[in-house]
Amino acid sequence: GIPEYEAKRYEGHIQAGGVLLSVHSDTSDEITRAKDLLKHMGALNISSFGEARAAYPAAKTAAYR
């Protein structure tokens, strides 16, 4: 459910020993909160992207360290 270029980028970081965390967020407030928490905990390269769903659009936030 993520763009191929993002998947390749994540794959490289994971192979180098990084950790990938994906968070499902239904609202923009949840996305903001997730990003703020990840930043506070020292996450790097935090990004978010939309994912189309039948009932409603959702967004995911991903970060790796």
Side-chain angles (χ1 to χ4, degrees):
I2 62 173
E4 186 173 345
Y5 70 92
E6 288 284 339
K8 294 289 185 187
R9 193 175 88 181
Y10 297 150
E11 179 182 29
H13 286 283
I14 291 168
Q15 288 177 344
V19 175
L20 172 68
L21 173 68
S22 177
V23 178
H24 174 86
S25 303
D26 290 321
T27 67
S28 60
D29 288 341
E30 289 177 351
I31 294 167
T32 300
R33 176 82 170 131
K35 285 182 174 182
D36 288 346
L37 288 169
L38 290 167
K39 286 178 193 173
H40 179 74
M41 297 306 296
L44 304 174
N45 301 303
I46 300 168
S47 62
S48 62
F49 55 90
E51 178 180 292
R53 291 225 160 163
Y56 60 93
K60 291 187 178 180
T61 301
Y64 50 86
R65 182 176 166 137

